[in-house]
């Protein structure tokens, strides 16, 4: 009897296994698979064969520089939206021309820092465009528009449409042009991002057309200055794997995208870059989070399975009610009939729930579990709440062996920033 159909089917753990990993590195541990990571990069790069087409990985999904290096090796470029992300991009080996600063509500200091690194900055309000003009008159800038079409798995991650803070509405194009003129700036790029996680290509493709139409509306001399048009990310992955949820049809999406881009490039003799900006698609499926069952409780109404996977480790279920499949690696050969159970973490809040009323095989203390699709917005959103140290990260290399790529935090790490104690 196997309770790990997905990780078994893709040989996720290479030549090792969850028990050996737990023994060597402890739990919780984020486990990445290099082969899957590289495969995801190649699928994305294959969306279009246009020479100017590229994949701009959105670092917010996962910023481990060891993983970023693999993406660099696969020919991806990266974004940065903060001085911290920029720091890690550079550390991973990306050159400044391989980094786009896709920011929101920068302070003057942050914007000046990005400019000092020579980066092309995407601004997403008239006020930030003015700020950029004041800091860098005569320079290049990129403007993020709000195409009005949003998408996403939760209201919290839809980033287009008037209910959201992002981008400049196309109706304000004349104001954009006036500010560019005032500061003698070159509009080197335009971009958008409609939101995070779509499983049907239509909305994304419509938004691509909206941005290209907007580029059509630019005065010809300004359009000719464009060197990059970035359509944003949002490419979804099937989180309901055990139920057989279909993946996003990348072949169909690629075909339609390639057609649109080729046509537009030919029509305008455009020689610049076209980018997509995925985060989740690159990372999510390349990682599982391994934890341990620590306690079992039946309170007469509910069956609780307690684990060491608190929401400080993986926040998505609590923050967005997100669904992640759970697989089981039993510690012994007791029978494991299916049981409706609520899987919880070890944080002092009742909301610390990883899976609600889920039908899973019976679990016992000492069992290991893997939470699937944990590579995007997993570690990057982890915290030390309840003063629990953040977990370690391990990479299953292409040869199947495991390598530590981030150590577990220590108790000393908890006081590293405290002043005046010692
Ligand atoms: N570009 C921009 C400007 C973004 O804001 C984002 C994500 C992306 C690209 C990448 O989107 P993706 O391809 O990963 O969907 N924490 C949430 C997701 C937040 C997404 C924020 N922006 C989650 O765990 O689902």
């Amino acid at each position: 009897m196997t309770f790990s159909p997905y990780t078994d089917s893709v040989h996720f753990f290479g030549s090792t296994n969850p028990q050996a990993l737990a023994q060597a590195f402890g739990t919780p541990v984020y486990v990445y698979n290099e082969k899957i990571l590289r495969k995801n990069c190649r699928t994305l790069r294959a969306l279009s064969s246009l020479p100017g087409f590229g994949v701009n990985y959105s670092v917010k999904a996962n910023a481990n520089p060891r993983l970023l290096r693999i993406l660099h090796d696969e020919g991806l470029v990266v974004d940065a939206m903060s001085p911290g992300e920029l720091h890690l991009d550079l550390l991973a080996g990306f050159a400044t021309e391989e980094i786009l600063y896709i920011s929101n509500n920068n302070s003057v200091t942050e914007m000046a820092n990005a400019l000092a690194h020579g980066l092309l900055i995407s601004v997403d309000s008239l006020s930030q465009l003015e700020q950029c003009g004041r800091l860098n008159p005569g320079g290049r800038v990129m403007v993020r528009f709000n195409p009005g079409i949003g998408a996403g798995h939760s209201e919290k991650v839809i980033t287009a449409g008037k209910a959201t803070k992002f981008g400049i509405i196309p109706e304000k194009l004349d104001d954009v042009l006036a500010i560019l003129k005032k500061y003698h700036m070159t509009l080197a790029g335009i971009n958008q991002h409609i939101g995070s996680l779509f499983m049907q290509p239509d909305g994304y493709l419509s938004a691509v057309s909206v941005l290209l139409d907007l580029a059509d509306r630019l005065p010809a001399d300004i359009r000719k200055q464009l060197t990059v048009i970035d359509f944003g990310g949002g490419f979804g992955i099937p989180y309901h794997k055990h139920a057989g949820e279909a993946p996003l049809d990348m072949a169909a999406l690629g075909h339609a995208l390639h057609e649109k881009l080729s046509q537009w490039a030919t029509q305008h003799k455009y020689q610049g870059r076209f980018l997509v900006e995925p985060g989740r698609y690159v990372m999510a499926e390349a990682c599982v989070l391994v934890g341990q069952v620590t306690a079992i409780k039946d309170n007469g109404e509910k069956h609780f399975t307690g684990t060491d996977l608190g929401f400080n480790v993986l926040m998505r279920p609590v923050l967005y009610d997100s669904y992640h499949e759970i697989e089981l690696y039993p510690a012994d050969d007791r029978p494991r009939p299916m049981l409706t159970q609520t899987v919880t973490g070890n944080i002092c809040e009742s909301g610390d729930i990883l899976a609600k009323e889920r039908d899973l095989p019976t679990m016992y203390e000492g069992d290991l579990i893997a939470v699937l699709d944990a590579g995007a917005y997993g570690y990057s959103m982890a915290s030390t709440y309840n003063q629990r140290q953040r977990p370690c990260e391990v990479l299953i290399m292409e040869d199947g062996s495991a390598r530590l790529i981030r150590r577990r935090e220590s108790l000393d790490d908890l006081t590293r920033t405290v002043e005046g104690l010692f």
Side-chain angles (χ1 to χ4, degrees):
M1 185 95 185
T2 169
F3 309 110
S4 45
Y6 176 75
T7 45
D8 290 351
S9 71
V10 299
H11 305 293
F12 193 91
F13 295 103
S15 55
T16 177
N17 59 62
Q19 286 81 5
L21 291 172
Q23 189 114 53
F25 303 107
T27 61
V29 49
Y30 275 97
V31 184
Y32 299 87
N33 180 301
E34 182 171 358
K35 276 192 196 159
I36 300 177
L37 187 59
R38 288 186 184 271
K39 178 176 70 81
N40 296 345
C41 295
R42 291 171 195 172
T43 304
L44 285 157
R45 288 199 66 191
L47 282 173
S48 168
S49 56
L50 277 179
F53 178 78
V55 179
N56 183 27
Y57 168 65
S58 194
V59 167
K60 54 188 72 62
N62 189 315
N64 186 311
R66 288 291 300 271
L67 301 177
L68 295 183
R69 257 186 211 164
I70 295 173
L71 307 191
H72 188 244
D73 187 42
E74 287 293 330
L76 272 56
V77 294
V78 281
D79 73 356
M81 73 98 54
S82 66
E85 287 189 353
L86 173 56
H87 176 67
L88 296 178
D89 289 351
L90 292 169
L91 203 68
F94 289 92
T96 47
E97 57 278 9
E98 295 172 318
I99 305 170
L100 282 180
Y101 206 71
I102 311 275
S103 60
N104 173 245
N105 298 342
N106 279 300
S107 70
V108 172
T109 318
E110 286 173 347
M111 195 182 280
N113 172 59
L115 287 168
H117 280 92
L119 295 179
L120 179 57
I121 300 183
S122 157
V123 295
D124 84 335
S125 62
L126 295 177
S127 97
Q128 290 264 293
L129 183 57
E130 284 270 358
Q131 177 173 302
C132 192
R134 284 193 298 271
L135 288 172
N136 192 28
R140 297 178 314 149
V141 69
M142 188 162 166
V143 170
R144 174 169 173 177
F145 286 96
N146 179 336
I149 303 167
H153 65 78
S154 142
E155 255 184 34
K156 294 187 177 114
V157 301
I158 295 174
T159 52
K162 291 212 171 143
T164 83
K165 67 173 178 168
F166 297 102
I168 298 176
I169 55 171
E171 293 86 330
K172 302 263 184 193
L173 181 57
D174 286 344
D175 300 299
V176 169
L177 296 175
I179 298 171
L180 291 172
K181 196 165 171 202
K182 176 173 165 194
Y183 294 101
H184 310 288
M185 280 189 284
T186 301
L187 185 64
I190 52 175
N191 66 302
Q192 66 185 18
H193 173 67
I194 62 173
S196 195
L197 205 158
F198 59 83
M199 294 306 285
Q200 299 298 331
D202 320 30
Y204 189 80
L205 291 167
S206 304
V208 165
S209 298
V210 172
L211 194 63
L212 292 176
D213 288 348
L214 191 128
D216 280 338
R217 283 172 45 205
L218 291 171
D221 57 326
I222 296 205
R223 190 172 53 242
K224 284 203 186 89
Q225 296 171 347
L226 291 178
T227 58
V228 49
I229 304 179
D230 179 347
F231 302 103
F235 303 79
I237 60 112
Y239 282 98
H240 291 261
K241 287 191 162 46
H242 291 169
E245 184 184 2
L248 175 61
D249 187 344
M250 293 297 266
L253 173 52
H255 182 73
L257 182 67
H258 179 76
E259 283 300 300
K260 271 182 204 289
L261 302 185
S262 312
Q263 258 180 29
W264 196 87
T266 310
Q267 186 191 342
H268 293 286
K269 298 191 174 62
Y270 177 69
Q271 307 261 310
R273 290 191 292 165
F274 289 118
L275 295 176
V276 292
E277 199 171 87
R280 184 186 318 271
Y281 193 91
V282 177
M283 286 289 177
E285 291 181 304
C287 171
V288 302
L289 169 61
V290 175
Q292 193 175 153
V293 177
T294 48
I296 302 297
K297 179 181 293 174
D298 192 324
N299 69 6
E301 215 164 278
K302 276 180 192 288
H303 183 95
F304 289 102
T305 303
T307 74
D308 57 1
L309 300 178
F311 72 77
N312 65 307
V313 177
L314 181 69
M315 204 176 180
R316 302 192 70 252
V318 169
L319 193 56
Y320 314 113
D321 236 348
S322 295
Y323 184 98
H324 286 261
E325 298 288 12
I326 293 177
E327 300 203 333
L328 171 66
Y329 312 94
D332 54 51
D333 55 8
R334 273 179 278 184
R336 308 293 179 140
M338 293 300 276
L339 181 68
T340 305
Q341 46 199 297
T342 292
V343 185
T344 64
N346 49 8
I347 293 295
C348 287
E349 295 199 24
S350 319
D352 181 27
I353 295 174
L354 192 58
K356 278 182 196 142
E357 309 267 313
R358 192 81 65 86
D359 288 334
L360 289 164
T362 303
M363 302 194 218
Y364 297 110
E365 299 88 338
D367 287 347
L368 295 177
I369 62 171
V371 181
L372 304 188
D373 306 318
Y377 309 106
Y379 191 95
S380 68
M381 292 172 71
S383 77
T384 56
Y385 184 44
N386 278 196
Q387 302 316 305
R388 291 195 172 278
Q389 294 79 65
R390 275 176 291 200
C392 58
E393 297 184 292
V394 167
L395 179 64
I396 308 294
M397 315 277 286
E398 285 185 292
D399 67 3
S401 65
R403 183 170 297 176
L404 188 67
I405 58 168
R406 189 194 298 270
R407 70 162 169 80
R408 186 177 305 287
E409 285 180 340
S410 67
L411 289 178
D412 281 345
D413 290 323
L414 293 176
T415 51
R416 238 179 349 172
T417 49
V418 175
E419 296 284 356
L421 183 64
F422 307 109

